[in-house]
Amino acid sequence: MTTRSGSALDGIRILDLTWGPGASMGVTMLAEHGADVVKVEPLGGDPFRGYHGSAVWHRSRRSIALDLTDTADAAVLEELLGGADVLVEGFRPGVMDRLGFGYDAVSARHPALVYCSVSAWPVGHRNEQRPGWDALVQAAGGAQAEQPGWRTGPVYNHAPTPTLGTVFLAPMGVLAALHQRAASGRGQHVRTSLLQGLFLYTTQIWQDVEHWAPAFHEVMAKTYPPGIHQGMIWQTADGWLHLSVLSGLTPTRSVEDLLGIDQPHPHVQASAPAGQRERWHAERAAAFASWKTADLAAVLREHGHACEPVTTAEQSLAEPHPQLAANDMVAAVEDPELGPTTQLGVPVHLRGTPGAIVSPRPRLDEHGAALRAEGWGGAARTPAVPSGAPAQATALGGLRLVDFGQYLAGPFGPMLLGDLGMDVVKIEPVTGDAMRMAQAPFNGCQRGKRSLALDLKHPRGREIALEVVRTADVVHHNMTKGVADRIGIGYADCRAVNPALVYCNTFAYGAEGPLAHSGGLDPLYQASSGIEFEQGAVHLGQRPLYVRFGFTDQANAVLSVVGVLLALAHRDRTGEGQELWTSLLDGGAVFASDALLVDGVPLDRPHLDAGLHGLGPGYRLYRCQDEQYLQVCATTDTAWAALCAAVGADELTGRRRDAREEVEAALEQAFARRTSWNWKRALDAAGVPCELPLDTQGGVAPLYDADNVRLGLVAEYEHPLHGRTRQFGHLVDFSETPGRIAGPAPLVGQHTREVLDGIGLSSREVDDLVAAGVAYEPGEDYRERFVN
C-alpha cells in the first residue's frame, strides 16, 4: 500500500515465527515503522488465519510457508537467518531447540542476531510446559480474580490481558536489544511471556507495603458491586455515557445545570444521609435518561466536561469517532481474502519518520517462491558483526530521560524505560505530583526515578529545567495540547538546547483534531474503544463494566515506550532526534485490534455471556461443587471430545458449535458434581487444557510466589515512608544487558540537590533556590506537607 524511505527501522529485517494476536501485533508495529518482516508459517498457515483479526495482526509483511522438520525447508530458514537482524518466535520453550533453531545454536552461527522468544509462561516457571492459551494465563496468573463483575468470583477478561501485554513487551525488548547492538554489534536473547504481559497491567493494584493506612489501597480497591469509576456510567435514552473528571478545561456550566436539576455537586452529596443520596441519584439518573447520548455528549463537551459514549469498537470505526479519524486510526485496507476492510491504523505517531500500513495481510506463502530464489532481495549488504565494544551493563544504560509527566499515563512509560536502565529524572512541582494523593497508583508508575522539584512558572525554574534537558536523550510528558509550549518546555524550547533530543507527548485524545485540547482519564477510552461494552456484556442488556486494571493508561504508556525506542533506533543510525506522540484514545483502540468492517459491515467478535464466564462452552469458567471455578480451554474438536468424555457428557461431543446457552447449561450441571481440584486433575489426565483461577489475596499471592520471585518477576525494595515494598519486577529479560530496577518511588524533591549538582550548581545556589521556593528538597516538614 505504501512505499517509504526514511522510516525509523530502515534496513532492519525481521523473521516472524509467532502466531495469533500478541507478539504478532507487536511485530506489526515494527513493520509499519520500516522493518522488512517475513512471516514464516507452517504449511497449513498460522492457525489464526481463519479468524478475521489476522487481517490486522499479520499485515505489512511477506509470507513464506516452511516445514522446519524438512531438511530443505530448514535450509531456507537458515539462509534467511543469514540476512536477518531479528527473529521473533512464540513457541513453547524447547520447541525451537528440538528443531535446531534454538537461541544457543542460532547465536553461534549468527552472533549479531537479536533473538526474541515470547512464551506463555517464563522459562523455569513450574507451568513452563503447560498449555498456554491466554485464558489459562488469565486464570492461573491472577487476572480473573482481580476484575469484579455482576457476581462474586473470578471473571473472564474479555480483552485478553496477558496477550495484550506481549503486544508491547515484544517490540520493547527487540528495540532495546537493537539499541545495544548499534554500539556493540552483538545480538542477544530477549525473552518475555504472557505472564509478564499480565503483570504489566497490575501496576496500580498489586503492591504489598510494610507500612500502610487504609487509604493506600482504597482508590483502586475491588468491590461488589463494582465501584471504581462505575458510578460515573449513566444510561441515556438510547445508550450509555461515561462521565469523567479532569478534562484539562475549565467547565463553563455545571453538569447539574446542563441536566436541569437542582442538587449539590456529587462531592458534597457524599456526606449526606443515605436516603437523600438515593433520591439525588434517582433524580440524576432520570435526567441522564432524558437525553440522547450524542446530544448530551456534545453539550457536555461544549461546556468543558470530559465524557465519552459507551460504544462498541466496531461503532467507532463505522461511524468514526472524530478524534480517532483525526489520528489516522481508521484505515481502509483491501484484504486479499476479505476485500475492502476498515481497520485499526498505526498507533505510534513519529513526526520525523511517520509509520504507515505497508501492505495488507499476505496470502499464505505468497512470497515463498521469491524468498526461496532470491532471499531477502534488494541490494546486498554487509551483515552486522560484533565490534568488540563493550555493551552497557543494562539494556538502556547511558541514556537519560526527563519526565515532566503527572498522574499515570505519562509517568508509567518513563518508569518502564527506567526499568530497562535509563536514568529517569522526574521534574515535578514543588508541591508534588498531583497523583501523590493516590498512593498505590502513584507508586505504581514512579519507581526508580530521581525527583527534582521545581517551580516551572518561575523563570529560573524553567531555565534550570532546560539545563537538565540539555543533558538528556529523551523528554517525556502527558500535558494537554499547548500547555508545555506555554510553560516554555515544548518541543521547540527543548530542541533549541538539545537538537538530537527525542521528545514524547502522551495525549488523552491526540495532537490535532476536534478534541486535541481536552484531557481525560482512562475510563473515557475504555468507553470509546468498546472495552466497557464487551466486559459488561451490554449486548445482553447489562450495564457497561469498567476494567479496574486501567487498561488505556497502560496502553498509552507502553505505546510511548515503543515510540521512544523507535525514535532512538532512528537516532542511533542517523544522529537525528524527533518529536512523537501517542494517546489514550489510540491505546484503547489497540485493545480491539480485531474489530473490523468489511464493505462497511462489522464482523462479529466473540462476546461474553451474562455471567461473564467466557466466550463459549469450550472456552470459559465453570463453577464446581466447592463453589470454586475452573477455566477450560477446549479449542479443538479433539479437546472438546475429551472434555465431554471426562465430564460424562458424551452426548455433547458433536454439539461444540450448537446453541451456546443449552450446551453451557449442560456442562454447568456436570461441573457442579465434583470439586474444582478433582476436575482439574481429571481434565489434566484427559489432556484438556485447564487452570484453576488464582486467588490473588489482593496481590499478595503472586508477589510472594516462589517461582515469580526466583525468576525476577517480583521486585522488592525499601521505601522511605512505606518500608519494605513489593510490586512486579522485570517484564522483559535480556541475556547480555539486563534491566535494572533502581528502587522505590522518590519523595518530592528527594534528589533535587543531586541533580542540580550534576548540572554544575553550587550548594549555595541550591540553598538559595530552595529558600526562594523555586526548588524543594525534603526537610523536617515533609510529613506535614505531603503525608499527614
Side-chain angles (χ1 to χ4, degrees):
M1 293 178 61
T2 301
T3 301
R4 294 164 297 149
S5 61
S7 297
L9 297 182
D10 274 354
I12 296 297
R13 294 169 172 174
I14 300 176
L15 288 171
D16 174 17
L17 281 76
T18 65
W19 54 279
S24 295
M25 186 65 191
V27 172
T28 298
M29 291 186 196
L30 303 180
E32 294 177 350
H33 284 277
D36 181 4
V37 177
V38 171
K39 180 172 178 60
V40 180
E41 307 187 61
L43 299 185
D46 184 315
F48 274 79
R49 273 189 172 270
Y51 180 60
H52 63 256
S54 166
V56 179
W57 304 332
H58 303 139
R59 71 192 186 196
S60 296
R61 48 180 41 84
R62 296 183 279 173
S63 169
I64 184 171
L66 296 175
D67 176 1
L68 297 184
T69 65
D70 177 81
T71 302
D73 279 4
V76 173
L77 179 60
E78 180 62 28
E79 184 69 22
L80 291 171
L81 278 169
D85 300 282
V86 179
L87 180 147
V88 186
E89 58 93 4
F91 292 100
R92 192 176 298 184
V95 172
M96 288 291 278
D97 293 299
R98 293 192 291 275
L99 292 170
F101 290 101
Y103 171 70
D104 289 339
V106 168
S107 64
R109 302 191 298 267
H110 309 284
L113 185 77
V114 171
Y115 189 112
C116 179
S117 298
V118 184
S119 55
W121 300 95
V123 172
H125 193 279
R126 62 186 174 278
N127 290 340
E128 174 189 310
Q129 294 299 319
R130 286 186 64 80
W133 292 95
D134 183 275
L136 301 178
V137 181
Q138 275 190 35
Q144 293 178 345
E146 292 297 350
Q147 178 56 39
W150 311 132
R151 56 172 176 80
T152 58
V155 163
Y156 185 92
N157 297 183
H158 183 272
T161 310
T163 295
L164 288 165
T166 62
V167 166
F168 307 109
L169 297 182
M172 280 169 53
V174 166
L175 290 166
L178 285 173
H179 171 72
Q180 278 297 322
R181 195 187 75 158
S184 70
R186 292 194 295 276
Q188 60 179 305
H189 198 182
V190 177
R191 293 189 301 198
T192 189
S193 66
L194 292 182
L195 183 62
Q196 286 159 294
L198 184 164
F199 276 32
L200 172 71
Y201 298 107
T202 67
T203 192
Q204 299 184 80
I205 60 176
W206 285 359
Q207 292 176 45
D208 185 60
V209 298
E210 184 178 8
H211 307 301
W212 57 277
F216 185 90
H217 294 291
E218 271 181 6
V219 174
M220 299 299 293
K222 179 183 176 181
T223 61
Y224 290 100
I228 178 68
H229 292 301
Q230 197 67 26
M232 300 289 275
I233 300 174
W234 297 94
Q235 189 165 18
T236 63
D238 60 350
W240 297 89
L241 184 85
H242 203 137
L243 183 66
S244 188
V245 294
L246 297 177
S247 68
L249 306 174
T250 302
T252 56
R253 290 175 63 187
S254 70
V255 173
E256 293 73 27
D257 187 25
L258 294 171
L259 290 174
I261 55 178
D262 182 15
Q263 56 179 246
H265 189 279
H267 291 164
V268 177
Q269 294 183 20
S271 60
Q276 180 60 62
R277 292 200 308 271
E278 290 172 5
R279 288 190 291 274
W280 277 330
H281 184 274
E283 181 185 25
R284 181 173 287 248
F288 272 97
S290 69
W291 284 79
K292 288 188 174 181
T293 308
D295 294 340
L296 182 55
V299 169
L300 287 168
R301 286 169 175 164
E302 179 186 352
H303 292 282
H305 295 281
C307 67
E308 279 291 337
V310 178
T311 66
T312 66
E314 291 79 5
Q315 284 175 299
S316 287
L317 294 174
E319 304 164 13
H321 187 293
Q323 189 62 49
L324 206 62
N327 293 352
D328 292 326
M329 285 291 288
V330 182
V333 179
E334 184 75 23
D335 185 82
E337 297 178 20
L338 298 175
T341 69
T342 306
Q343 53 183 259
L344 176 79
V346 179
V348 177
H349 306 274
L350 302 184
R351 290 191 183 272
T353 57
I357 299 171
V358 180
S359 58
R361 167 185 56 168
R363 295 185 184 277
L364 175 63
D365 202 38
E366 180 177 339
H367 308 93
L371 287 164
R372 287 179 175 86
E374 305 168 15
W376 289 92
R381 63 174 193 164
T382 303
V385 295
S387 65
Q392 291 284 346
T394 58
L396 299 179
L399 298 175
R400 174 172 293 167
L401 181 149
V402 175
D403 175 15
F404 289 108
Q406 296 193 65
Y407 297 98
L408 194 132
F412 187 47
M415 187 190 98
L416 295 175
L417 289 164
D419 286 352
L420 296 180
M422 277 195 188
D423 171 26
V424 179
V425 177
K426 174 180 177 61
I427 298 183
E428 61 181 313
V430 293
T431 53
D433 184 325
M435 185 74 160
R436 283 182 178 272
M437 50 77 184
Q439 296 172 37
F442 178 83
N443 282 358
C445 61
Q446 302 289 355
R447 74 174 176 204
K449 301 179 185 180
R450 297 192 292 158
S451 172
L452 165 60
L454 284 178
D455 179 2
L456 294 179
K457 296 179 181 178
H458 191 285
R460 183 59 180 141
R462 187 164 56 253
E463 289 172 5
I464 291 170
L466 290 175
E467 283 301 309
V468 179
V469 167
R470 190 187 300 275
T471 71
D473 300 277
V474 180
V475 165
H476 193 289
H477 67 81
N478 59 332
M479 299 176 199
T480 52
K481 182 178 174 63
V483 172
D485 293 323
R486 290 196 294 273
I487 294 173
I489 56 169
Y491 178 55
D493 304 296
C494 292
R495 188 174 185 273
V497 300
N498 189 342
L501 191 73
V502 170
Y503 186 98
C504 178
N505 196 159
T506 59
F507 293 107
Y509 280 98
E512 306 292 341
L515 296 172
H517 285 89
S518 296
L521 298 182
D522 167 73
L524 295 181
Y525 313 103
Q526 289 202 26
S528 66
S529 63
I531 294 172
E532 291 183 337
F533 185 98
E534 297 294 350
Q535 190 59 52
V538 177
H539 68 290
L540 297 176
Q542 300 185 151
R543 293 180 63 85
L545 180 57
Y546 176 73
V547 178
R548 67 183 279 262
F549 293 106
F551 273 156
T552 69
D553 274 333
Q554 280 96 327
N556 189 9
V558 285
L559 280 174
S560 77
V561 171
V562 173
V564 164
L565 293 173
L566 285 166
L568 287 171
H570 177 73
R571 194 183 75 164
D572 286 340
R573 192 179 75 254
T574 67
E576 299 170 355
Q578 63 177 303
E579 184 181 11
L580 70 118
W581 62 273
T582 60
S583 74
L584 286 154
L585 182 72
D586 292 359
V590 173
F591 275 61
S593 60
D594 58 339
L596 210 67
L597 311 179
V598 174
D599 279 326
V601 178
L603 297 183
D604 195 36
R605 294 187 294 153
H607 303 290
L608 288 173
D609 62 306
L612 313 184
H613 296 97
L615 303 180
Y619 202 78
R620 58 160 282 175
L621 289 156
Y622 284 99
R623 190 177 183 184
C624 303
Q625 186 183 52
D626 54 358
E627 299 188 352
Q628 302 300 308
Y629 286 80
L630 183 69
Q631 173 68 53
V632 172
C633 290
T635 59
T636 65
D637 289 339
T638 300
W640 176 255
L643 170 65
C644 295
V647 302
D650 291 302
E651 71 279 4
L652 298 178
T653 300
R655 300 186 58 190
R656 181 179 166 211
R657 297 172 180 84
D658 284 4
R660 175 178 176 177
E661 293 81 3
E662 186 177 334
V663 175
E664 289 183 340
L667 285 173
E668 285 172 346
Q669 291 180 4
F671 275 100
R673 299 187 191 112
R674 297 176 69 179
T675 67
S676 55
W677 265 106
N678 281 334
W679 277 127
K680 181 179 184 297
R681 293 186 179 114
L683 295 191
D684 278 348
V688 179
C690 65
E691 292 290 353
L692 293 169
L694 174 70
D695 178 0
T696 64
Q697 302 171 46
V700 171
L703 292 177
Y704 288 86
D705 178 276
D707 280 357
N708 293 343
V709 172
R710 175 174 53 83
L711 295 172
L713 274 65
V714 176
E716 180 175 301
Y717 32 75
E718 285 290 318
H719 187 280
L721 296 178
H722 303 305
R724 178 199 44 75
T725 300
R726 284 195 179 198
Q727 64 184 118
F728 74 75
H730 293 291
L731 301 178
V732 183
D733 301 306
F734 300 85
S735 62
E736 306 300 323
T737 56
R740 174 215 60 172
I741 295 175
L747 302 179
V748 179
Q750 183 175 345
H751 307 92
T752 291
R753 191 168 294 270
E754 176 184 307
V755 174
L756 296 184
D757 176 71
I759 62 170
L761 271 66
S762 68
S763 181
R764 178 69 172 271
E765 288 174 303
V766 176
D767 289 341
D768 290 344
L769 289 167
V770 171
V774 177
Y776 174 80
E777 62 179 345
E780 294 180 358
D781 64 342
Y782 188 86
R783 284 186 176 272
E784 181 180 347
R785 289 185 62 171
F786 296 108
V787 180
N788 298 332

